[in-house]
Amino acid sequence: MLLRIKGKAINFDTWLVGRVTRDINAQVESYFLLCEDEVPDAIPNCFVGVLSTVNLLPSFGRLPVIAQIASLDHLDENDIVVAFPNGMVNTLYRVNSYHNTILATERCNSNCLMCSQPPKDKDDIIRQFLIYRQAIPLIPKNCIELGISGGEPTLMGELFFELLRLLKEQLPDTELHVLTNGRSFAWEHLAARMGAINHRGLMLGIPLYSDYYQIHDYIVQAKDAFSQTLLGLHQLARYQQRIEIRVVLHQQTIPRLTRLARYIYKNLPFIEHVAFMGLEHIGYTPHNSEVLWIDPVEYAEQLGEAVQFLAGQGMRVSIYNAQLCTLPQKLWPYCRKSISDWKNSYLAECSRCIKRSDCGGFFTWNLQRTSRSIKAID
């Protein structure tokens, strides 16, 4: 699934946001017109611009244009995109997907060993905010859920809370899932700001990788991260925020996984959900595979103990990014089909499996390293 395409930009020098349509009669000013195979003799000036697979000459009107794009097949009617003067077109929202995420910033104050999208030290916060300030009012009001991710979204500072206020105003019925390391909320005034947003459809997904501070700090490569995260969790609870704990499964987290489960139950009873996440083989992970990779079949016992302990105490628990054939059947009820559609794949072996429709499958980039236990269930 393409989320970024590139062509030749004509007639504009700043980024543009709009929905897309193939209907030249769509008399709404928030649309890009998609032109494939051929170009109309005349295009109304009401369009934001034109995205085309054919070559449009600079003399073609004064409408902003990105021409010579290889394909527009991935775009559906009313998808939202941002077009840049360098010819890049990024998809911001797909109307036919349940897996839409706002990329708040690529900056981060952690540097996790297994980060799937390594942070970039660039000043992108104001630009990202301004882009989404235009895009959010265009999102359909019946949108079920939106993710907010990074980088670390709280590094937006005041603009983070402005973004949340805008989402609450424009999409009051949309569930928001914010992925954050939670460290910023160690400062009470920021937790209080979250409370003031008062959005009961908002969930904060915060990682906690061990019950022992040195392990957590090593994994996230940040001194005092464990203490900041814990303080942040308690500050957020003080302001009645909904929280999910996320644990990525790898060599560094598995040895103390059952201890971590007991620690969460004893010290964080306000947690709404605990998610155990399979490792993504992208970003930093391939470079750190010697200290991260472990075949899922080898940690099934520890994972089972942790999951069943939490569930037995009445806590809601899930397993994400896992293949059913790598886990004992007793854990299947906890497995979720969680991998976003644009990065979800299966092996040829999976085509013969009777449980494929229930299985989460693989991240596309995880196909290069899979469990030795992958086998069709029949």
Side-chain angles (χ1 to χ4, degrees):
M1 169 66 71
L2 288 173
L3 293 181
R4 295 183 179 183
I5 51 178
K6 186 174 177 63
K8 180 180 179 181
I10 305 167
N11 292 343
F12 68 109
D13 56 10
T14 187
W15 43 263
L16 300 168
V17 174
R19 292 173 287 189
V20 302
T21 183
R22 292 174 171 83
D23 181 6
I24 196 171
N25 296 313
Q27 299 294 313
V28 181
E29 294 184 354
S30 61
Y31 278 106
F32 284 97
L33 180 65
L34 303 184
C35 293
E36 298 160 290
D37 300 328
E38 60 182 40
V39 179
D41 293 332
I43 296 178
N45 289 326
C46 64
F47 288 103
V48 174
V50 178
L51 305 179
S52 173
T53 58
V54 299
N55 184 24
L56 290 174
L57 299 176
S59 60
F60 184 82
R62 297 308 305 162
L63 276 175
V65 171
I66 295 186
Q68 302 177 32
I69 298 171
S71 174
L72 296 169
D73 291 346
H74 65 292
L75 291 174
D76 292 326
E77 196 78 7
N78 291 314
D79 282 357
I80 301 170
V81 302
V82 55
F84 295 99
N86 65 358
M88 292 297 301
V89 182
N90 296 350
T91 304
L92 301 177
Y93 183 88
R94 293 178 296 139
V95 295
N96 293 321
S97 174
Y98 293 108
H99 303 103
N100 285 293
T101 298
I102 290 173
L103 178 62
T105 177
E106 293 190 72
R107 298 178 62 195
C108 192
N109 54 349
S110 294
N111 201 30
C112 300
L113 293 174
M114 65 292 173
C115 182
S116 60
Q117 187 169 325
K120 297 178 181 177
D121 186 17
K122 63 180 185 180
D123 187 12
D124 64 348
I125 288 174
I126 293 177
R127 187 192 75 168
Q128 289 297 100
F129 173 76
L130 292 175
I131 286 173
Y132 278 104
R133 188 172 67 178
Q134 283 187 257
I136 288 169
L138 303 179
I139 295 175
K141 303 305 180 186
N142 63 354
C143 172
I144 296 174
E145 181 179 21
L146 269 177
I148 302 175
S149 185
E152 171 51 44
T154 61
L155 295 185
M156 296 179 74
E158 177 60 30
L159 294 182
F160 173 65
F161 300 105
E162 185 63 31
L163 181 70
L164 296 181
R165 281 193 291 268
L166 179 61
L167 285 163
K168 182 181 178 182
E169 173 190 309
Q170 294 290 328
L171 301 165
D173 299 322
T174 300
E175 296 281 329
L176 302 179
H177 197 179
V178 182
L179 300 184
T180 168
N181 58 38
R183 294 169 56 193
S184 296
F185 300 112
W187 285 265
E188 184 186 352
H189 71 283
L190 294 180
R193 296 292 300 280
M194 284 299 301
I197 297 294
N198 192 30
H199 192 326
R200 297 312 301 164
L202 186 151
M203 172 87 79
L204 294 159
I206 298 176
L208 187 64
Y209 296 129
S210 179
D211 63 315
Y212 184 46
Y213 79 97
Q214 285 187 329
I215 296 176
H216 179 89
D217 287 4
Y218 169 66
I219 292 170
V220 304
Q221 296 286 286
K223 189 177 185 297
D224 297 327
F226 179 82
S227 57
Q228 289 173 356
T229 299
L230 276 182
L231 182 54
L233 289 167
H234 283 275
Q235 298 281 26
L236 288 167
R238 178 180 180 183
Y239 290 96
Q240 301 178 325
Q241 296 305 290
R242 300 171 60 208
I243 305 169
E244 168 191 82
I245 292 292
R246 299 164 70 89
V247 185
V248 180
L249 303 168
H250 51 66
Q251 279 189 49
Q252 305 303 314
T253 58
I254 292 300
R256 298 183 68 92
L257 196 64
T258 54
R259 290 186 179 93
L260 175 59
R262 294 178 182 278
Y263 184 91
I264 291 170
Y265 171 68
K266 181 179 180 180
N267 297 284
L268 305 170
F270 48 82
I271 295 301
E272 186 170 320
H273 181 222
V274 180
F276 293 100
M277 322 285 296
L279 185 67
E280 287 193 60
H281 199 72
I282 196 173
Y284 284 156
T285 298
H287 306 286
N288 296 315
S289 60
E290 289 187 3
V291 296
L292 293 174
W293 169 254
I294 180 172
D295 191 317
V297 74
E298 295 179 11
Y299 62 64
E301 181 177 350
Q302 294 97 319
L303 178 59
E305 289 179 4
V307 167
Q308 293 189 302
F309 170 77
L310 291 169
Q313 306 307 313
M315 299 190 79
R316 190 160 68 91
V317 58
S318 300
I319 302 171
Y320 290 168
N321 313 339
Q323 302 80 46
L324 296 181
C325 58
T326 67
L327 299 173
Q329 193 167 346
K330 65 184 179 182
L331 293 182
W332 290 1
Y334 303 101
C335 293
R336 311 289 177 245
K337 295 190 67 172
S338 55
I339 300 175
S340 300
D341 52 3
W342 61 273
K343 52 185 175 181
N344 195 198
S345 297
Y346 293 86
L347 291 169
E349 176 74 8
C350 303
S351 63
R352 302 187 295 104
C353 183
I354 63 171
K355 300 296 290 183
R356 173 171 168 154
S357 61
D358 300 319
C359 182
F362 302 85
F363 289 102
T364 300
W365 37 82
N366 278 27
L367 296 180
Q368 58 192 297
R369 189 160 195 179
T370 61
S371 170
R372 64 178 185 272
S373 67
I374 299 297
K375 185 179 180 181
I377 299 168
D378 49 27

